[in-house]
Amino acid sequence: MSRKKSISNIIGALLFILALTIVISITIIILTEYSKFVDTVRYTESLEQERDIEKLHLSGAITDGTLNLVIANIGPITVNIIDILIHDLENNTLLSLSNITKTDINKVLNPGEEASYNIQLNSNNIIISNSTVIIVVTSRGRSFTLLIESGEAMP
């Protein structure tokens, strides 16, 4: 009889150790995942803050089938331009210049710097109407627009 009591005590102790190990393991996993979540939230918040302080000034015109665009970084942080889009409002078409031209669209602009683009639209078979919106997209996901009516930039 005492042999059965001692075996049941050993089995009970083993089950207790197993349960304790499982609880500790689950707690460590939860703390690790929570730490990753907190890091992700901090990164997202910093990205949102940087996106909010990005400031670009666009000016330009379309003359003789050439898009003349000047982009100035007037904000306090470096901006990486990843694409320029042309939205033809009359024909309701949207074209990405990085996909259809050989011009290198990607530029990094430090505060106070500006970049000039002279893109031949006719040679790339891009036909646009009198009402066009130029959209400049940054690496942080922000976009800046310039309305061009009859070849001239509108305020």
Side-chain angles (χ1 to χ4, degrees), residues 126-145:
I126 303 171
I127 300 171
I128 56 172
S129 63
N130 290 332
S131 186
T132 304
V133 175
I134 306 299
I135 305 166
V136 176
V137 182
T138 69
S139 62
R140 292 182 184 95
R142 185 108 189 250
S143 61
F144 298 88
T145 59

Side-chain angles (χ1 to χ4, degrees), residues 1-134:
M1 188 77 140
S2 72
R3 190 159 166 72
K4 286 185 179 181
K5 280 187 175 179
S6 62
I7 290 177
S8 65
N9 286 341
I10 293 173
I11 291 174
L14 289 175
L15 288 176
F16 176 74
I17 291 172
L18 180 64
L20 187 63
T21 304
I22 290 172
V23 168
I24 291 173
S25 298
I26 289 173
T27 304
I28 290 172
I29 290 171
I30 289 172
L31 290 176
T32 303
E33 291 303 314
Y34 182 72
S35 175
K36 289 179 186 177
F37 171 74
V38 168
D39 290 343
T40 302
V41 168
R42 285 184 184 147
Y43 171 74
T44 305
E45 287 175 348
S46 70
L47 185 64
E48 287 292 328
Q49 289 172 350
E50 289 176 355
R51 183 182 303 151
D52 287 343
I53 59 176
E54 278 186 332
K55 289 185 175 54
L56 293 179
H57 179 265
L58 308 179
S59 60
I62 298 175
T63 53
D64 298 326
T66 301
L67 170 63
N68 301 307
L69 180 64
V70 177
I71 304 169
N73 183 358
I74 58 174
I77 62 171
T78 301
V79 176
N80 183 13
I81 298 168
I82 59 169
D83 203 358
I84 298 174
L85 307 171
I86 297 178
H87 184 197
D88 187 341
L89 297 175
E90 291 180 12
N91 298 322
N92 201 23
T93 56
L94 182 66
L95 303 170
S96 170
L97 290 181
S98 63
N99 292 337
I100 57 177
T101 66
K102 295 178 182 174
T103 305
D104 185 23
I105 301 299
N106 293 337
K107 300 245 176 157
V108 176
L109 295 178
N110 291 316
E113 287 185 341
E114 63 180 40
S116 297
Y117 294 91
N118 296 311
I119 300 167
Q120 297 291 327
L121 301 176
N122 293 340
S123 65
N124 292 297
N125 295 324
I126 303 171
I127 300 171
I128 56 172
S129 63
N130 290 332
S131 186
T132 304
V133 175
I134 306 299

